Amino acid sequence: MTQAATAKTGEQFDTLFMTPMRAYGALNLETAEKLMATQFGIAESLSEATLAQARDWLSVKSAEDVQKTLEGQQQAMQSLGDRLKSDAATLLSLGQDYVQKSQKLAEQQFKALGSQ
């Protein structure tokens, strides 16, 4: 009888605590991975744009080159602005997805508690 009670207690502990903790841990890890990937993408884009502009300025030899470089800078800034807007939407979506999944996990946890 003691083994059966111990097994039942272990089962309940796993159902009520360990399984939800694993699910939250997996959700947090997944979200952190997506967040870091987005942040690295942003950093890479900014770095590439900055280096490209530096190369353009190093190749300036005339007034016409200055004009072309300034126009290139405007285009680069527009492109970066579009990228940042897209990345902001991605981050917002990531946050909303995290909240929805967390709520779903919490609901499942409450149902599991109610059935015990």
Side-chain angles (χ1 to χ4, degrees), residues 98-114:
Y98 180 80
V99 168
Q100 289 172 352
K101 287 179 179 178
S102 292
Q103 287 175 340
K104 185 176 180 183
L105 287 173
E107 288 171 6
Q108 291 171 347
Q109 178 66 15
F110 286 128
K111 286 179 185 176
L113 287 171

Side-chain angles (χ1 to χ4, degrees), residues 45-69:
S45 293
L46 291 172
S47 297
E48 287 174 359
T50 300
L51 292 172
Q53 288 301 303
R55 283 188 204 98
D56 285 349
W57 281 109
L58 288 174
S59 68
V60 169
K61 295 179 181 158
S62 67
E64 185 178 302
D65 290 343
V66 170
Q67 183 63 32
K68 287 181 184 177
T69 300

Side-chain angles (χ1 to χ4, degrees), residues 2 7 12 14-15 21 29 35-37 39-40 43 50 57-59 69 73 80 89 96 98 100 103-104 108 112:
T2 304
Q12 287 176 337
D14 187 57
T15 300
M21 284 177 54
L29 186 60
L35 178 62
M36 289 176 64
Q39 289 174 330
F40 282 131
T50 300
W57 281 109
L58 288 174
S59 68
T69 300
Q73 262 190 322
L80 280 175
Q96 290 171 339
Y98 180 80
Q100 289 172 352
Q103 287 175 340
K104 185 176 180 183
Q108 291 171 347

Side-chain angles (χ1 to χ4, degrees), residues 22-44:
R22 283 188 210 104
Y24 281 114
L27 176 60
N28 287 333
L29 186 60
E30 175 188 343
T31 302
E33 185 178 13
K34 290 177 183 178
L35 178 62
M36 289 176 64
T38 301
Q39 289 174 330
F40 282 131
I42 292 168
E44 183 180 25

